[in-house]
Amino acid sequence: FAAAVNAGASLVRGPRLLLLHSDVLPDKPGWLGRMTSFYDATPGIGALGVKLLHEDNSLEHAGIYFARSGNSSLWNRRRTFKGLHRHLPVANVARPVPAVSTACLLIAAKLYNRVEGLHPMYLRGADDYTSSDLCLRLLEVGLQNWYLPEAELYHLGERSPRESTRSLSNRYDSWLHTHIWSEHLETVMARMPVEDWPAIQPAQSTF
């Protein structure tokens, strides 16, 4: 996945690059115009993500953050407001976030290539820690990743690998991601106000 996306990105001639999964469907027209307008009007922006919805109108997430589970030393990727309703007021505010999803991600084409795009070292290459790794590299060079709730898209979600396979690959990717980014993640999350990640999250999956 990462190699294929990078090959496509190398051929882009326009100023912006949109990563969009094949199982993502817009709620209504105008979403791309809202994304491009916001991107162009926001200084220091890295990657821009959208409000991703499940088919039942609950939130898949409103941006990505990172946390440790229990006594584990691993940093896990968490989905903000996962499972809550799409009209949750706090989920309808544009804000900087640690990371967004490649399910629908807008970025300047030159910037994508400058930070070397998606790294193909993660097993679950279609999203998850692959997208987080890209977003952390953007933070590392002094940019901010943003969440835009005005663009709403349904993400139908993964239909294939078996749960056992997903679990094993996710554990490996979590370990690798932590090994690379642990020190930086401490800094990233320390800079995020606690109130930005309220304790109203339902039980989270790390998938």
Side-chain angles (χ1 to χ4, degrees), residues 3-20:
V5 171
N6 291 341
S10 70
L11 302 175
V12 169
R13 297 294 176 261
R16 292 175 296 267
L17 174 66
L18 178 73
L19 306 186
L20 186 69

Side-chain angles (χ1 to χ4, degrees), residues 138-160:
L138 293 169
L139 292 179
E140 194 174 37
V141 297
L143 301 173
Q144 284 188 314
N145 304 306
W146 279 80
Y147 159 72
L148 180 66
E150 286 78 15
E152 298 178 303
L153 294 95
Y154 289 96
H155 189 191
L156 303 184
E158 296 174 337
R159 304 298 187 193
S160 51

